[in-house]
Amino acid sequence: SAVISQKPSRDICQRGTSLTIQCQVDSQVTMMFWYRQQPGQSLTLIATANQGSEATYESGFVIDKFPISRPNLTFSTLTVSNMSPEDSSIYLCSAGTGTGGEQYFGPGTRLTVT
Amino acid sequence: EDKVVQSPLSLVVHEGDTVTLNCSYEVTNFRSLLWYKQEKKAPTFLFMLTSSGIEKKSGRLSSILDKKELSSILNITATQTGDSAIYLCAVPDSGTYKYIFGTGTRLKVLA
């Protein structure tokens, strides 16, 4: 199994600002993903973080709003840019082998935008 | 389009009851099915079921995969208030490495 740390664990931000969330895995993994979970909803995939190349975004999510970096096989960041109250959510990173195997989640970041 | 559906959406039981949660899936190329428990923020991994591992058990929790019915069940026996959570199932997308999540079953166990 992989142990994933994520920070910050929570933040309250002003609208129009940006927040960068960091995700660190204790071992090299093939796949890293970023999810959003809005209140009362299931998980929504934002993007797949690709090592050394641009992230692959899901429909409805764009790089300008959610830039993602993955400089190596154990670390990734997600930035939520120009925030609005609608961005208030839990943001989760996950890591897995990418072969349909086990996937583990970080502890999550609870973001509130005022 | 690949899809995962969970039922029921929510469930309220009393301590000591046994519950069965359902997950059905539609994927072109099945590889695995994963179960998670989500209490506060992060989903915690419970089980992974595959064609070669269709039954898993850990304590009071057990899960079975029915490839013929394209579904899985998660059983919790002798429920406790600490079992109160959202239970999610997920399957890998057929054409990519991303996972498709169901909407979850919200379980509440009353003392």
Side-chain angles (χ1 to χ4, degrees):
Chain A
S1 67
V3 177
I4 303 173
S5 60
Q6 196 174 328
K7 59 181 181 181
S9 62
R10 60 174 56 221
D11 209 339
I12 301 172
C13 301
Q14 301 272 357
R15 87 170 53 218
T17 62
S18 298
L19 176 72
T20 295
I21 303 167
Q22 298 180 8
C23 178
Q24 179 74 54
V25 188
D26 69 341
S27 57
Q28 292 188 348
V29 291
T30 307
M31 309 298 291
M32 292 182 75
F33 304 94
W34 286 97
Y35 292 84
R36 180 173 76 179
Q37 187 174 33
Q38 296 183 303
Q41 305 289 316
S42 189
L43 305 180
T44 301
L45 182 64
I46 297 172
T48 303
N50 300 310
Q51 193 261 327
S53 65
E54 192 172 287
T56 305
Y57 289 86
E58 296 301 302
S59 176
F61 297 95
V62 295
I63 188 171
D64 290 346
K65 175 68 176 176
F66 297 100
I68 288 170
S69 77
R70 189 176 172 193
N72 57 52
L73 291 175
T74 63
F75 184 78
S76 179
T77 67
L78 167 75
T79 298
V80 186
S81 303
N82 189 25
M83 288 184 283
S84 68
E86 291 70 38
D87 294 320
S88 297
S89 285
I90 295 173
Y91 290 85
L92 294 154
C93 76
S94 72
T97 61
T99 56
E102 297 172 4
Q103 179 188 202
Y104 296 92
F105 284 86
T109 297
R110 187 182 298 275
L111 171 63
T112 302
V113 184
T114 61
Chain B
E1 183 182 327
D2 295 345
K3 189 166 64 172
V4 175
V5 177
Q6 291 185 246
S7 64
L9 290 180
S10 65
L11 194 54
V12 180
V13 300
H14 289 90
E15 272 193 319
D17 289 349
T18 293
V19 298
T20 299
L21 311 182
N22 298 281
C23 175
S24 62
Y25 59 89
E26 292 179 24
V27 292
T28 306
N29 176 27
F30 176 82
R31 285 175 282 174
S32 62
L33 185 146
L34 285 67
W35 281 100
Y36 292 89
K37 177 183 182 183
Q38 185 177 27
E39 293 178 85
K40 291 182 180 175
K41 287 190 298 186
T44 303
F45 175 81
L46 293 175
F47 299 120
M48 183 176 77
L49 303 167
T50 65
S51 298
S52 58
I54 63 171
E55 285 193 54
K56 291 289 173 73
K57 182 175 170 63
S58 176
R60 296 178 294 104
L61 276 66
S62 62
S63 183
I64 298 173
L65 176 70
D66 187 337
K67 281 202 70 179
K68 191 178 293 186
E69 296 296 324
L70 305 184
S71 65
S72 174
I73 60 171
L74 176 68
N75 278 320
I76 307 175
T77 60
T79 52
Q80 303 171 357
T81 55
D83 296 324
S84 296
I86 297 171
Y87 290 84
L88 297 163
C89 74
V91 297
D93 179 271
S94 295
T96 71
Y97 293 121
K98 62 186 181 183
Y99 294 78
I100 305 166
F101 280 82
T103 52
T105 293
R106 184 180 295 271
L107 173 65
K108 186 172 180 63
V109 181
L110 303 176

